[in-house]
Amino acid sequence: MFQYKIPISLYIHMPWCVHKCPYCDFNSHTVKKIPDYEAYIDNLIKDLQQDVVMCSDRSVHSIFIGGGTPSLFSAELIAKLLTKVNQIIPINKDAEITIEANPNSVDVDRFNGYQQAGINRISIGVQSFQANKLKNLGRIHNPEEAINAGTLAHNLNLRSFNLDLMHGLPNQSVDDALYDLKQAIEIAPPHLSWYQLTIEPNTLFGSKPPVLPDDDNLWEIYQQGHQLLTDHGYQQYETSAYAKPDFQCQHNLNYWRFGDYLGIGCGAHGKITRSNGEIIRTIKTRHPRGYLEGRYLDRSYIVAKEELPFEFFMNRFRLFEIVPKHEFEQRTFLPLQAVNKQINFAIEKNYLIESEYGWQVTEQGKLFLNSLLEIFL
């Protein structure tokens, strides 16, 4: 049985976008005719009702409404959704509740409506503040809309807000990348997601790859960008996330600390720990058509015990903080002896430092993170 309650979060996926970006491999579907958004909300509620039986008596630690473009949904529908969620599984009074928004799908009334519905954190998909870069990325907003959306979020006095920025863009120079960061810093978001563009299979960029900066330029962009963010009080707490002190994304922290989460909506993934120590992963139906017909669960499976060390560290080593030893035991239900050999090898390779309390990834370990993780396969 649980010796303590593993924190549980809720991820809600909204699958529709006005336009599919050429780099995007998320489960998003272009709007060809206006979907029945209210019917989708009703199905999300039914989906949650089926999943909540796995949660015992836990309450929700955080909620993240992602997509797709969740800001296509009205504030009234988001309010209905959050009200029903709280009736099915209690939401902690101090829960972080985030919604993703595209700059061109928001205005003052919509942002105010989201806040009144219970949203206390907004994540805005800016990607760049330069018109030519946005065009190359297939984004349908312009720099002015990005600045306006960020300024709106800033003036709402939310618990927090985030700007998503990408680097390593087609034909991007170091100065281009720094310009985007400086524009973001002027808006003063408490949190910045700053991640490198990667070419994924099954995307337009995957079939027609653009010219990206070479490794030397990418390293220069990262080093100078990291220094700029650090100089302005942002702390890197995760591979691609920076925050002002005490403004880390609580929802993502729960993922990376191998917490539990329910995933509802098209293609959403979930992870639930049973009282007997079994870890269940769930994957929901990807296409809205099947989902709206009530076929929510695509598949679920129990994670094999021998795979748990890799799964735990694959998440945990993304964070630039000490990994408590007791957390490994509590969240995998495995003894420390199960990973002694691998830990010692990682220490010999200078990937980890060990203390009585826990393990810390070294600078060498950060540079060779994949090699570190392979030790636990």
Side-chain angles (χ1 to χ4, degrees), residues 36 320 348:
D36 190 338
F320 298 165
E348 289 174 16

Side-chain angles (χ1 to χ4, degrees), residues 196-213:
Q196 183 182 326
L197 170 65
T198 54
I199 306 299
E200 303 290 349
N202 303 316
T203 64
L204 184 58
F205 276 179
S207 59
K208 297 179 180 178
V211 177
L212 302 182

Side-chain angles (χ1 to χ4, degrees), residues 171-183:
N171 303 307
Q172 185 181 47
S173 67
V174 175
D175 287 344
D176 287 338
L178 294 179
Y179 173 85
D180 281 344
L181 283 178
K182 289 172 184 175
Q183 289 295 306

Side-chain angles (χ1 to χ4, degrees), residues 362-376:
T362 63
E363 291 301 317
Q364 177 91 346
K366 292 174 188 176
L367 287 173
F368 297 96
L369 184 58
N370 287 339
S371 298
L372 168 58
L373 294 174
E374 285 171 4
I375 294 171
F376 298 93

Side-chain angles (χ1 to χ4, degrees), residues 120-140:
N120 55 31
R121 185 176 183 274
I122 294 176
S123 180
I124 304 169
V126 171
Q127 315 313 350
S128 176
F129 290 98
Q130 297 167 78
N132 63 330
K133 297 296 186 288
L134 290 170
K135 183 178 179 181
N136 289 340
L137 291 172
R139 303 295 288 174
I140 57 175

Side-chain angles (χ1 to χ4, degrees), residues 282-313:
T282 60
I283 302 166
K284 298 302 173 63
T285 300
R286 285 182 60 84
H287 201 281
R289 187 183 303 112
Y291 189 85
L292 287 167
E293 290 172 355
R295 301 194 302 273
Y296 307 134
L297 183 65
D298 180 38
R299 63 190 177 97
S300 65
Y301 62 93
I302 298 171
V303 181
K305 284 189 179 297
E306 57 269 21
E307 295 174 3
L308 285 174
F310 175 76
E311 290 227 2
F312 176 84
F313 290 118

Side-chain angles (χ1 to χ4, degrees), residues 22-289:
Y23 59 85
C24 178
D25 70 337
F26 293 148
N27 184 32
S28 60
H29 302 263
T30 303
V31 173
K32 294 176 181 175
K33 63 177 182 177
I34 297 176
D36 190 338
Y37 292 127
E38 187 157 15
Y40 188 74
I41 295 293
D42 291 340
N43 279 277
L44 286 173
I45 293 162
K46 293 175 184 175
D47 187 2
L48 180 61
Q49 287 171 330
Q50 291 184 10
D51 274 8
V52 77
V53 295
M54 298 186 289
C55 298
S56 183
D57 59 347
R58 288 180 283 176
S59 56
V60 170
H61 161 88
S62 65
I63 297 174
F64 195 101
I65 305 173
T69 307
S71 50
L72 292 174
F73 286 72
S74 69
E76 291 76 16
L77 286 178
I78 297 299
K80 174 183 175 180
L81 173 62
L82 292 177
T83 298
K84 290 291 186 180
V85 166
N86 194 41
Q87 291 170 359
I88 297 167
I89 180 169
I91 302 171
N92 291 349
K93 288 184 179 180
D94 63 345
E96 174 193 271
I97 306 176
T98 304
I99 190 168
E100 287 184 333
N102 277 355
N104 66 321
S105 62
V106 295
D107 52 38
V108 176
D109 290 341
R110 187 164 291 238
F111 267 15
N112 280 326
Y114 288 151
Q115 190 174 29
Q116 291 167 15
I119 299 294
N120 55 31
R121 185 176 183 274
I122 294 176
S123 180
I124 304 169
V126 171
Q127 315 313 350
S128 176
F129 290 98
Q130 297 167 78
N132 63 330
K133 297 296 186 288
L134 290 170
K135 183 178 179 181
N136 289 340
L137 291 172
R139 303 295 288 174
I140 57 175
H141 68 269
N142 59 45
E144 292 73 25
E145 288 172 322
I147 292 169
N148 289 341
T151 304
L152 278 176
H154 181 90
N155 292 335
L156 277 180
N157 294 315
L158 293 159
R159 169 173 171 161
S160 183
F161 72 97
N162 168 67
L163 298 183
D164 263 359
L165 282 180
M166 299 174 78
H167 63 89
L169 306 181
N171 303 307
Q172 185 181 47
S173 67
V174 175
D175 287 344
D176 287 338
L178 294 179
Y179 173 85
D180 281 344
L181 283 178
K182 289 172 184 175
Q183 289 295 306
I185 289 166
E186 282 189 21
I187 296 170
H191 190 283
L192 263 170
S193 296
W194 188 53
Y195 50 93
Q196 183 182 326
L197 170 65
T198 54
I199 306 299
E200 303 290 349
N202 303 316
T203 64
L204 184 58
F205 276 179
S207 59
K208 297 179 180 178
V211 177
L212 302 182
D214 61 28
D215 288 345
D216 289 340
N217 274 333
L218 287 173
W219 181 241
E220 193 66 26
I221 287 170
Y222 171 75
Q223 283 195 310
Q224 291 196 36
H226 175 80
Q227 189 60 53
L228 179 65
L229 290 168
T230 302
D231 290 345
H232 284 84
Y234 290 93
Q235 300 171 352
Q236 186 179 22
Y237 71 95
E238 186 261 331
T239 304
S240 57
Y242 291 76
K244 293 292 181 73
D246 301 321
F247 283 99
Q248 296 94 335
C249 176
Q250 297 304 305
H251 188 84
N252 285 346
L253 282 178
N254 191 42
Y255 282 162
W256 307 138
R257 289 172 178 162
F258 213 54
D260 282 351
Y261 49 94
L262 293 171
I264 61 171
C266 295
H269 289 230
K271 169 190 169 285
I272 298 295
T273 308
R274 287 178 172 167
S275 58
N276 64 0
E278 289 181 341
I279 293 177
I280 309 296
R281 290 203 176 272
T282 60
I283 302 166
K284 298 302 173 63
T285 300
R286 285 182 60 84
H287 201 281
R289 187 183 303 112

